[in-house]
Amino acid sequence: MRLTIIGSSGSFPGPDSPASCYLVEADGFRLLLDMGNGALGALQRHVDIYSVDAVYLSHLHADHCFDLCSYWVARMFHPDGAKPRIPVYGPSGVSERVAEAYGLDPDPGMTEVFDFHELTPGTLGIGPFTVRVDRVNHPVEAFGIRLEHNGASMAYSGDTGACDSLVDLASDTDLFLCEAAFQDHVEHPKDMHLTGSEAGEHASRARTRSLLLTHLVPWNDDDVTLAEARSTYDGPIDLARSGRTHTIGG
């Protein structure tokens, strides 16, 4: 598997990165994990946007899903005609939510180019990937995801506070892409995001082989977040940076 960081900025785009968006590839199949605001522009630096095979949305906050609206425009109104439908996986009401965001009547909404599937906890197949999803701890319905292919594995937290389901999804993975939007020295709302040290704790409990911190809020000092994570996890750690590629397994 190959992971390309399209956007890793938390809550809103930063000066060097769009909001959350991650491209995972295997056997020629291209899966986008989230499409936060600003992601579609950066995606075009890496692949033909019409070569994307499926989209997964962890939850329906703007910084994780709103560029699906731009992607609908690009697929629906291409000069050569509308592009073929591709699957979009997301929480309950995903089809209505993105239609509302663009001011569309929900019928047909965006269903002419997207085949929407509502997520429930469990296992499914997306292209060549074996996928498991479970709910995580966030103010709206939100999912973490585990992907496996040909002996390689990764997990992505989406947005979450501390929760056991996230540890289970990341258990013994090669790479854990985990949010770390908060920092220990600042008061923050409960059950919304993780600090760097909490991300590290979850990674240690999961025995993941590497940790990649993401959802990095522009006003935070990323070095502080990294130091917090290193205080609770002793494996390889890095910061997710827009444009970087990571090989998983193999």
Side-chain angles (χ1 to χ4, degrees), residues 56 58-59 91 134-138 140-144 159-160:
Y56 159 91
S58 63
H59 65 293
D134 203 353
R135 291 188 177 92
V136 292
N137 188 10
H138 203 52
V140 299
E141 185 180 46
F143 288 85
D159 282 7
T160 182

Side-chain angles (χ1 to χ4, degrees), residues 103-153:
L104 300 174
D105 188 308
D107 185 13
M110 297 184 180
T111 60
E112 291 168 291
V113 292
F114 297 133
D115 180 18
F116 290 97
H117 301 262
E118 294 189 353
L119 295 168
T120 57
T123 301
L124 66 153
I126 302 179
F129 302 108
T130 299
V131 170
R132 182 155 57 91
V133 298
D134 203 353
R135 291 188 177 92
V136 292
N137 188 10
H138 203 52
V140 299
E141 185 180 46
F143 288 85
I145 186 171
R146 178 189 182 102
L147 300 101
E148 299 180 14
H149 173 70
N150 199 25
S153 58

Side-chain angles (χ1 to χ4, degrees), residues 92-103:
S92 302
V94 56
S95 176
E96 294 82 1
R97 173 76 166 117
V98 293
E100 178 186 16
Y102 205 78

Side-chain angles (χ1 to χ4, degrees), residues 165-189:
S165 59
L166 184 59
V167 174
D168 186 49
L169 287 170
S171 178
D172 297 306
T173 48
D174 295 306
L175 183 144
F176 183 19
L177 178 63
C178 186
E179 75 118 284
F182 287 158
Q183 296 185 330
D184 289 329
H185 64 283
V186 179
E187 256 189 70
H188 49 76

